Amino acid sequence: MPGGPARIAILATSTSPRGSVAHALAVGEALCDLGHEAVVHAPDPTGRGFYRNARCPVVSVAARRVGGSTADLVRARIEDYLRHFATPAACDFDVFHAQCGIGGNALATLGRRRLVHAFVRTVHHLESFADPQLAYWQDRAIYDASRLLCAGRSAADALARDHGVAALVVGNGVDQTLFRPQAEPGDETLRLRWGLSPGPVVLCVGGFEERRNSLAVIEAFLRLRAERPRAQLLVVGGGSILDHAGYQARCRAALDQAGLEVGIGRAVIQPGLVPQDEMPGFYRLADILAAPALRGGFGPSVLEAMACGTPVVGAARAPFTEVLAGSDACLVDPEDAGKIADAFRAALEPGERARLAAAGRKVAALHGWAACASRHLSAYAACSRRNRATADA
């Protein structure tokens, strides 16, 4: 970046293992490897810190525990950030970068208070909010940003179409030193702890959510299990700041209606949030990553699975088709549970499984975090306090 190394404040949604948080930490680490000082911040009401150790500096922002609606929670998290960055000393960074609408709204307010001069915003995906306050916050964090970034072309196209603004596509990445196909001793420990059978094991990452198309995945899994009674559905992660309780109840009702038990060693296993160092083992123990998302969906988990040699069943639509060819994964119509089930069957055939594993590893090798971080630098330069001060002098 012109002017030498920069001090960059990256604001994430939370300290939990969500896709945007994983992206924030990985970009922060890669920026530090490039010689910058990137500090990743996130509200932390638990006081436990980030879900994994990071090679870049991190700050757990003091945050209150909040009940009530999603809007109440978002408002509280914006206020948490405003308290943290309340003084010029706390805002002593060259660049501010929001990875979410919460951070974007906090930085917009700090700009009006003349504590922040400009900020970069990454838009991972857009939500359709019925609550006008949530919709307002989403729009404000977009329109008030000085530069916009997106992980995928489809999000950038949506911003251009629906908001009339341009965004730079920076992509995603994967750490192939951590996510790799070679089995580790801890894999068998994971298998025994969670009662994974010979399978096949269908893995979902991120919990039950509507945008992840969980109901269709459940229906496709039921069709597979009718033919392969030892099949298991492994659902790792969850913990979104948005309220998915209604949809999660529908998913649980679908499982109950089908007579599928949830628990260790059962048909459906839900470990919930797990340590980062266990994720490669979960990918390697799975026979398929099920990710036929309706919206968004091409987060780090797809590349992580591919790096571990796990075949991916994804959606035959953007953002998958921006990165993957039809030969790299089983891409299907996400609205058709029958097609998803057919893709499960195809990916389990030994020859096809081996081919997809090899193709996936090649795709993952093309997506390093260093290249992703480097694509941020032009936006950072445009928003740098140091560069702006030089231009005004």
Side-chain angles (χ1 to χ4, degrees):
M1 195 167 84
R7 294 193 72 236
I8 305 155
I10 301 176
L11 281 64
T13 307
S14 72
T15 56
S16 298
R18 303 291 296 176
S20 65
V21 182
H23 185 98
L25 289 172
V27 167
E29 291 171 331
L31 288 167
C32 288
D33 292 341
L34 293 172
H36 302 282
E37 182 186 358
V39 183
V40 180
H41 302 69
D44 183 14
T46 69
R48 292 194 293 264
F50 281 84
Y51 71 95
R52 71 170 178 88
N53 294 326
R55 292 185 291 102
C56 62
V58 297
V59 174
S60 293
V61 174
R64 298 171 295 156
R65 292 183 180 273
V66 180
S69 67
T70 300
D72 293 331
L73 179 57
V74 171
R75 181 180 291 105
R77 294 294 168 257
I78 294 171
E79 292 171 353
D80 293 333
Y81 266 136
L82 291 176
R83 280 193 301 274
H84 180 81
F85 289 108
T87 66
C91 294
D92 186 23
F93 290 90
D94 299 312
V95 178
F96 286 86
H97 179 184
Q99 288 276 351
C100 62
I102 289 171
N105 275 274
L107 293 175
T109 297
L110 292 168
R112 285 161 173 72
R113 296 176 182 175
R114 299 187 180 278
L115 290 169
V116 169
H117 57 284
F119 71 92
V120 179
R121 165 77 203 284
T122 297
V123 179
H124 290 275
H125 60 270
L126 295 169
E127 298 282 354
S128 298
F129 291 114
D131 186 322
Q133 182 62 65
L134 293 174
Y136 166 75
W137 279 326
Q138 177 170 255
D139 288 349
R140 184 181 185 231
I142 291 169
Y143 288 123
D144 279 32
S146 306
R147 288 290 189 277
L148 293 169
L149 308 175
C150 289
R153 170 54 55 191
S154 57
D157 290 344
L159 284 173
R161 180 184 66 247
D162 300 334
H163 292 78
V165 293
L168 174 68
V169 178
V170 295
N172 256 312
V174 61
D175 180 358
Q176 291 190 276
T177 65
L178 177 63
F179 296 96
R180 53 191 182 183
Q182 292 80 15
E184 298 284 345
D187 295 357
E188 184 61 21
T189 302
L190 277 181
R191 181 189 295 279
L192 294 173
R193 182 193 309 164
W194 294 105
L196 296 174
S197 72
V201 175
V202 178
L203 172 65
C204 299
V205 176
F208 289 135
E209 294 183 11
E210 183 176 7
R211 71 183 180 89
R212 299 184 190 280
N213 205 18
S214 300
L215 281 171
V217 170
I218 290 171
E219 183 178 342
F221 173 73
L222 292 175
R223 298 186 186 200
L224 176 66
R225 190 172 164 86
E227 304 163 9
R228 305 183 72 160
R230 301 188 71 182
Q232 291 174 304
L233 183 63
L234 176 63
V235 185
V236 177
S240 171
I241 194 171
L242 300 178
D243 183 5
H244 300 289
Y247 188 81
Q248 289 166 355
R250 292 171 61 196
C251 291
R252 189 58 184 259
L255 296 174
D256 289 344
Q257 184 176 8
L260 296 187
E261 296 183 354
V262 179
I264 296 174
R266 304 300 184 181
V268 181
I269 304 169
Q270 285 190 270
L273 301 179
V274 301
Q276 173 76 351
D277 59 5
E278 292 185 354
M279 279 307 303
F282 279 116
Y283 287 123
R284 288 190 291 262
L285 291 170
D287 296 282
I288 303 166
L289 175 71
L294 295 172
R295 301 187 304 279
F298 198 88
S301 62
V302 173
L303 291 174
E304 290 168 358
M306 288 184 152
C308 291
T310 305
V312 172
V313 172
R317 59 174 63 170
F320 289 89
T321 52
E322 299 168 14
V323 180
L324 304 178
S327 58
D328 298 327
C330 294
L331 302 182
V332 298
D333 178 0
E335 315 256 5
D336 189 333
K339 295 294 185 184
I340 298 172
D342 288 342
F344 288 171
R345 297 185 190 98
L348 291 171
E349 291 296 326
E352 182 67 355
R353 175 178 170 77
R355 190 192 66 76
L356 288 171
R361 290 195 296 270
K362 290 180 181 178
V363 170
L366 299 175
H367 295 274
W369 283 115
C372 175
S374 295
R375 298 184 195 107
H376 289 64
L377 298 182
S378 62
Y380 288 169
C383 296
S384 169
R385 176 176 61 185
R386 185 175 57 203
N387 291 349
R388 178 167 295 192
T390 301
D392 292 342

